[in-house]
């Protein structure tokens, strides 16, 4: 039996007004007034929790390795495991959102982060990895659902809200990278207790988000069945794969750098505290890059041009870290922060802009983060293994530099003003 050509995907230029999928009714007008302000605050607090519990491991990596006896490759799994969770659990997230409602599902993600950070209190390597997996599961679901929520509730302010969302991601990362070691030293905490402290931020977000659960919208059984395979219809779309490739490559670059740059600086003679501050400083600059990128897209620069510019900044930063890691550290981390901030913000904006409605935003977000984060998960482990094999950071930094070339290619493709839509 032969099959005809695939008919499930169409790629078209966005219409002048909002579009809807068949059977979904009128396009949403978005949330307005006081509820929009409170919802926006909730989104910011949720986003603030999607990086600290992971980034906090990096400045403590040396201490963890010394006290636990783990190798560099094993320690890198603490960064790689959450990324695998991001990828493997991404297809499940839209189904959970439709079954239980986006608001309740997002509340559950904060519960998981609290539980995971609590597990890290136990003086056990097994508990450390188990807590990391639980945290990764919570973040994985939130990663997928938040772009869909922005598409649904802020359709007229997608650029602004994406900027605030991605700015909060970098803000949380900067906070974790900058204060983890000083808090540990000032309070005399163990590395287990220091990592567990980040559960307090998740608890705050949980309390603030709780009132949003009253807005849950029940869906029909047919809609729930439709969400059971949220990615399948997009797998044959070149545009969807370009969005996915850009998400994965920029994530690989970010997480690999976050995992090992403090160690690169320490090996060059910098103190552990200063090395952690460098990562925090980069994240602070990333806040500016991540907020400005989606706001200026279409006004002053095209998205493709901005994707290429961000890669050039990252390339200059990686070359500088290789050539003069200590002497020019502030300049190199400024370039990396601005470039990586623009890249993550564009990756999230592409998901929102290339989807014609909320359902497709969830599907595209699921696909991009499923395959993208599985790709990104290889970064920290591969760089750690290459460093162990080569005995220096030259080859790992060269690999990061080379991967910027396909990242630009994917960004130029994803920047095309078209929609990915199912018939």
């Amino acid at each position: 039996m032969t099959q005809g050509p695939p008919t499930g995907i169409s790629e078209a230029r966005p219409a002048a007004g909002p579009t809807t999928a068949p059977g979904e009714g009128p396009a949403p007008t978005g949330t307005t007034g006081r509820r929009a302000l409170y919802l926006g605050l909730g989104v910011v607090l949720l986003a603030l929790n999607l990086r600290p519990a992971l980034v906090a491991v990096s400045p403590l990596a040396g201490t963890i390795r010394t006290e636990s006896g783990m190798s560099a490759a094993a320690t890198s799994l603490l960064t790689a495991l959450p990324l695998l969770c991001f990828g493997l659990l991404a297809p499940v997230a839209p189904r959970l959102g439709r079954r239980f409602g986006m608001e309740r599902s997002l509340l559950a993600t904060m519960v998981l982060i609290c539980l995971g950070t609590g597990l890290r209190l136990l003086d056990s390597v097994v508990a450390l990895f188990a807590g990391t997996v639980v945290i990764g599961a919570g973040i994985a679901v939130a990663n997928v659902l938040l772009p869909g929520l922005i598409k649904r509730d802020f359709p007229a302010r997608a650029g602004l809200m994406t900027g605030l969302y991605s700015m909060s991601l970098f803000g949380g990362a900067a906070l974790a990278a900058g204060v983890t070691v000083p808090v540990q030293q000032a309070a005399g905490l163990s590395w287990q207790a220091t990592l567990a402290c980040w559960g307090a931020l998740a608890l705050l977000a949980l309390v603030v988000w709780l009132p949003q659960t009253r807005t849950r919208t029940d869906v029909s059984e047919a809609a729930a069945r439709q969400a059971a395979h949220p990615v399948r219809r997009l797998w044959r779309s070149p545009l969807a794969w370009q969005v996915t490739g850009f998400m994965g490559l920029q994530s690989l670059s970010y997480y690999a750098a976050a995992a090992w740059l403090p160690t690169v600086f320490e090996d060059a003679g910098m103190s552990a505290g200063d090395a952690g501050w460098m990562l925090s400083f980069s994240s602070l600059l990333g806040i500016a890059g991540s907020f400005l990128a989606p706001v200026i897209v279409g006004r002053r620069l095209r998205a493709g041009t901005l994707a290429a510019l961000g890669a050039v900044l990252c390339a200059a930063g990686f070359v500088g870290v290789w050539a003069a890691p200590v002497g020019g550290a502030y300049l190199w981390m400024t370039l990396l922060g601005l470039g990586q901030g623009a890249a993550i913000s564009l990756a999230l904006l592409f998901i929102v802009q290339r989807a014609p409605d909320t359902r497709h935003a969830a599907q595209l977000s699921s696909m991009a983060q499923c395959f993208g984060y599985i790709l990104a998960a290889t970064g920290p482990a591969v760089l750690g293994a290459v460093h162990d094999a080569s005995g220096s950071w030259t080859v790992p930094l060269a690999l990061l530099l080379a991967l910027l070339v396909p990242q630009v290619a994917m960004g130029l493709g994803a920047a095309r003003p078209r929609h990915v839509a199912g018939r």
Side-chain angles (χ1 to χ4, degrees), residues 6 12 30 52-53 66 70 81-82 129 187 199 204 216 233 250 262 330 343 347 374 376:
T66 300
M70 290 191 295
L81 276 177
F129 279 95
L204 173 62
R216 174 196 173 192
R233 298 183 67 192
Q250 65 82 27
Y330 276 99
I374 289 176

Side-chain angles (χ1 to χ4, degrees), residues 77-367:
L77 286 177
L78 292 174
T79 302
L81 276 177
L83 298 182
L84 285 173
C85 290
F86 295 175
L88 296 175
L89 296 179
V92 179
R95 187 189 311 181
L96 293 175
R98 291 183 180 273
R99 176 66 180 84
F100 300 104
M102 280 192 183
E103 291 77 11
R104 291 189 180 183
S105 298
L106 287 168
L107 183 73
T109 66
M110 294 300 105
V111 173
L112 288 174
I113 293 175
C114 289
L115 290 175
T117 52
L119 280 174
R120 286 175 163 182
L121 273 171
L122 302 177
D123 187 12
S124 164
V125 172
V126 174
L128 172 62
F129 279 95
T132 299
V133 170
V134 173
I135 291 168
I139 297 174
V141 175
N143 277 341
V144 173
L145 293 184
L146 280 171
L149 184 138
I150 290 172
K151 181 74 174 182
R152 184 193 71 185
D153 291 326
F154 300 97
R157 305 182 186 90
L160 174 63
M161 285 306 303
T162 301
L164 289 172
Y165 171 36
S166 53
M167 182 178 71
S168 301
L169 293 178
F170 268 89
L175 188 65
V179 308
T180 296
V181 171
V183 166
Q184 182 198 28
Q185 294 174 344
L189 299 175
S190 65
W191 61 263
Q192 294 94 336
T194 305
L195 290 177
C197 285
W198 292 104
L201 186 61
L203 185 61
L204 173 62
L206 189 154
V207 171
V208 172
W209 189 256
L210 189 60
Q212 299 296 333
T213 59
R214 294 196 298 263
T215 65
R216 174 196 173 192
T217 301
D218 292 323
V219 299
S220 67
E221 183 180 349
R225 285 199 305 269
Q226 186 181 43
H229 303 286
V231 179
R232 184 173 298 169
R233 298 183 67 192
L234 300 181
W235 285 3
R236 296 181 181 179
S237 165
L239 181 57
W241 279 111
Q242 287 160 348
V243 172
T244 298
F246 186 78
M247 169 63 79
L249 289 167
Q250 65 82 27
S251 295
L252 187 157
S253 176
Y254 172 79
Y255 283 105
W260 291 114
L261 280 182
T263 306
V264 173
F265 288 128
E266 286 185 55
D267 289 351
M270 192 178 289
S271 69
D274 288 344
W277 162 245
M278 284 295 109
L279 186 61
S280 179
F281 176 76
S282 175
S283 296
L284 287 172
L285 270 297
I287 294 173
S290 62
F291 178 73
L292 291 175
V295 173
I296 65 176
V297 164
R299 298 182 182 180
R300 298 183 182 276
L301 287 176
R302 293 181 180 273
T305 302
L306 198 55
L309 178 60
V312 169
L313 292 175
C314 289
F318 287 137
V319 170
V321 169
W322 169 76
V326 176
Y330 276 99
L331 175 58
W332 315 139
M333 298 310 280
T334 296
L335 296 175
L336 278 174
L338 291 173
Q340 291 177 336
I344 180 59
S345 200
L346 285 174
L348 296 169
L349 186 65
F350 289 154
I351 291 173
V352 174
Q353 288 188 334
R354 299 301 156 252
D357 50 55
T358 302
R359 180 172 66 88
H360 286 84
Q363 290 177 338
L364 184 57
S365 179
S366 174
M367 175 179 174

